[in-house]
Amino acid sequence: MIKDPEFEKTRRIWVYLPSDYSNSKNAYPVMYMFDGQNVFDNKTAFAGEWQVDEFLDRKQKDHIIVAIAHGDEARINELTPFKTKNYGGGGGDQFLSFLINTLKPLIDTSYRTMPDSEHTSIAGASLGGLMAFYAVIKHPDIFSVAMALSPAFWINPEIRELLAQMEIPDHIRVYMAIGADEVESMQKGYKDLLTILQEKAVSENQFKSERVEGGEHNEDFWSRQFEQGYNWLFPK
């Protein structure tokens, strides 16, 4: 548990260390993940875990993963950058302030990390996917890589305006995916944002998007696509 001064609460954090961490003196890249309850453990997951630790162990990958618990009934507020008419919200910048100013410094002093933006990534699904995308374009000095699965762009259309007005830094890389069987509002919000990226002629080496046949808005889809996204973002 860690004190979150932005929301005046304590928040649960899970930390995955690579299998060789205790036997080496290496420093490691770090990925921060939203909805931490669903990342590692069926017992805490809403509807099944992502099995991120099993994947990393099996492939002997070298990331430290920091999974951040959402605030249950406060989740919409925490994971939306802009306030909505029907759902409230708008606390996303506060959540990122906690991550950047409180959590990340603690992780970087407690573990052997590579703290620069080149080796710091962020990931999530649904509202977490929205926030991962927002984080990397709002704070490219902190995060250079993002994985946004089934990102809920529909709930905050303002993110399209933000993207349209900004110059996308050359060093950031983003993997996005959506299931072909997700609801129409998800599909439209996703397609509208892709249109802006296409208009900006963003390099395919920077942004990869997949529309996956049979994919639905659930943990099983995100678990499978996490592996696909990770392999594209970190090919070595």
Side-chain angles (χ1 to χ4, degrees):
M1 303 293 286
I2 180 175
K3 177 74 173 179
D4 179 346
E6 297 294 331
F7 292 97
E8 297 183 344
K9 64 168 68 175
T10 56
R11 193 181 297 276
R12 188 173 182 183
I13 306 295
W14 294 262
V15 178
Y16 166 90
L17 299 177
S19 57
D20 68 343
Y21 184 89
S22 61
N23 297 320
S24 79
K25 295 182 179 179
N26 297 336
Y28 297 84
V30 181
M31 175 181 282
Y32 293 88
M33 297 188 67
F34 296 111
D35 293 321
Q37 291 94 328
N38 303 328
V39 173
F40 300 125
D41 193 344
N42 273 320
K43 294 179 181 178
T44 60
F46 171 69
E49 60 160 302
W50 286 30
Q51 299 183 329
V52 169
D53 48 341
E54 287 89 345
F55 164 67
L56 296 173
D57 285 345
R58 186 172 68 251
K59 297 297 184 180
Q60 296 186 322
K61 299 298 185 179
D62 65 354
H63 262 88
I64 292 174
I65 305 293
V66 180
I68 312 164
H70 64 69
D72 296 316
E73 69 281 356
R75 180 173 180 266
I76 290 180
N77 181 51
E78 294 174 353
L79 299 183
T80 48
F82 307 98
K83 189 173 183 178
T84 72
K85 179 179 179 180
N86 296 325
Y87 302 97
D93 283 317
Q94 281 182 271
F95 196 96
L96 287 180
S97 179
F98 157 71
L99 198 165
I100 293 168
N101 297 318
T102 299
L103 179 58
K104 187 177 186 300
L106 178 63
I107 294 297
D108 290 336
T109 55
S110 301
Y111 302 96
R112 297 192 308 273
T113 70
M114 303 168 77
D116 58 296
S117 64
E118 180 182 355
H119 297 98
T120 305
S121 54
I122 192 161
S126 193
L127 292 177
L130 164 69
M131 279 299 294
F133 185 90
Y134 177 75
V136 81
I137 64 172
K138 187 73 180 291
H139 299 283
D141 57 323
I142 304 295
F143 311 101
S144 66
V145 174
M147 187 189 307
L149 306 180
S150 303
F153 296 135
W154 66 272
I155 198 170
N156 272 168
E158 296 91 343
I159 197 167
R160 299 197 299 270
E161 301 170 18
L162 175 65
L163 185 65
Q165 295 169 5
M166 69 175 293
E167 183 174 339
I168 299 174
D170 293 336
H171 70 282
I172 67 172
R173 300 180 72 237
V174 178
Y175 173 87
M176 301 190 299
I178 193 168
D181 292 342
E182 298 195 47
V183 298
E184 180 58 31
S185 59
M186 292 289 299
Q187 303 276 353
K188 184 179 186 306
Y190 188 90
K191 183 178 179 181
D192 289 348
L193 189 129
L194 281 184
T195 298
I196 296 172
L197 291 174
Q198 291 164 357
E199 290 173 350
K200 286 180 168 290
V202 177
S203 166
E204 292 182 359
N205 293 324
Q206 274 193 276
F207 282 82
K208 182 174 178 62
S209 169
E210 292 190 293
R211 185 173 183 270
V212 182
E213 292 299 323
E216 299 179 347
H217 197 83
N218 57 36
E219 310 297 333
D220 179 64
F221 173 56
W222 302 328
S223 175
R224 288 183 281 113
Q225 288 309 124
F226 179 85
E227 296 191 23
Q228 298 295 321
Y230 186 98
N231 289 334
W232 184 79
L233 291 168
F234 311 106
K236 294 182 180 180

